Each structure stands twice: as C-alpha cells, then as structure tokens.
Amino acid sequence: MIKRAVLFFLILFLFPSFTTAALGISPAIVELDFKPGAEYEFSYTIISDNPDVELQIYANGDLSQYVTLSKEKTKGAGTFTAKIKFPDEIDKPGLHRIGIGVKETPPEDQFLGTAIDISGAIKVFVPYP
C-alpha cells in the first residue's frame, strides 16, 4: 500500500502539467462529387476548451494540393474556411479523402506531454470513365 502511495505522488509531482482538454472540428464529414474546374468553399468551426493554446490548421490527403486555408494558426476556438479548386481532370477514379485538421502546438518549455490532433474528412468521388 505504501509503494502505491509513493508511486502516485511521484507521478503527481513529476508530471504536474498533464491536463485534460477537448478539441473538436465541425463539420466532421463533407461528401462531394468531382466536377472538372469546380470550386467549393467550406466553413469550419474549431471547438476548444482552452483559449490559450496555439493551434495549427492543416490539410492533408491525396487531393490536398487543391486546398487553400484561410489561416494556418489560431488560438483557442474559432472559425476558418477551406477553399477547394479542382483541376480539369484527376487521373485516378474512385473515392479520395482530404483531411482538414487542427492540432495543438505543444509548449516549447514542456519536456513531456500530449498534443491533441483532430481532423474532419472531405470525401471526393471521382467517377470512372
């Protein structure tokens, strides 16, 4: 019993900066069909319970080169837009996924910790010829 108490206090004093936090993004999923040269704009809302944390906004996936974000960083909750401008053709037919995400930037003075990373999906269906 004493060993457990000592272990608990060691963890408590060695890692005092661990906190729980909530981070979310809305909309979670957007589905659309590919149209040559089409342009789309989506508004995203960042949900965060910590107004002081710095967040990075990013796009990834096989069609992310066609995405332009209105901002790359923000603090706490907020909104941003993602614009998609498709080319005249995409060689590979089928379902493609673009991730629109937000992740915490960990403090530089923190040796050990966690960073939350969450993303929504834009599903693009490119028709078969």
Side-chain angles (χ1 to χ4, degrees), residues 5 25 39 61 65-66 68 84 97 109 118:
I25 189 168
E39 293 184 32
Q65 68 265 30
Y66 307 118
T68 305
I84 302 173
R97 183 185 177 278
D109 62 342
I118 185 120

Side-chain angles (χ1 to χ4, degrees), residues 22-75:
L23 183 63
I25 189 168
S26 177
I29 298 173
V30 174
E31 295 181 355
L32 52 101
D33 292 326
F34 170 75
K35 293 181 181 145
E39 293 184 32
Y40 299 93
E41 184 172 325
F42 302 103
S43 294
Y44 282 88
T45 302
I46 302 169
I47 303 152
S48 176
D49 67 347
N50 187 349
D52 299 326
V53 68
E54 187 172 298
L55 303 169
Q56 286 183 303
I57 302 168
Y58 65 90
N60 64 10
D62 53 347
L63 301 178
S64 64
Q65 68 265 30
Y66 307 118
V67 177
T68 305
L69 300 170
S70 63
K71 47 175 120 167
E72 294 179 6
K73 290 186 178 187
T74 189
K75 261 194 161 184

Side-chain angles (χ1 to χ4, degrees), residues 1 4 9 17 28 33 46 49 52 57 63 74 81 83 85 89 91 115:
M1 187 69 169
R4 287 184 188 166
F9 284 111
S17 62
D33 292 326
I46 302 169
D49 67 347
D52 299 326
I57 302 168
L63 301 178
T74 189
T81 59
K83 293 181 183 179
K85 181 172 180 3
E89 64 179 46
D91 294 334

Side-chain angles (χ1 to χ4, degrees), residues 74-125:
T74 189
K75 261 194 161 184
T79 61
F80 67 94
T81 59
K83 293 181 183 179
I84 302 173
K85 181 172 180 3
F86 286 126
D88 291 332
E89 64 179 46
I90 294 177
D91 294 334
K92 186 178 174 189
L95 189 62
H96 297 267
R97 183 185 177 278
I98 302 170
I100 304 293
V102 178
K103 63 182 173 182
E104 290 181 344
T105 304
E108 293 179 15
D109 62 342
Q110 189 174 2
F111 175 70
L112 185 62
T114 60
I116 300 172
D117 185 344
I118 185 120
S119 68
I122 300 176
K123 296 179 179 180
V124 181
F125 180 74

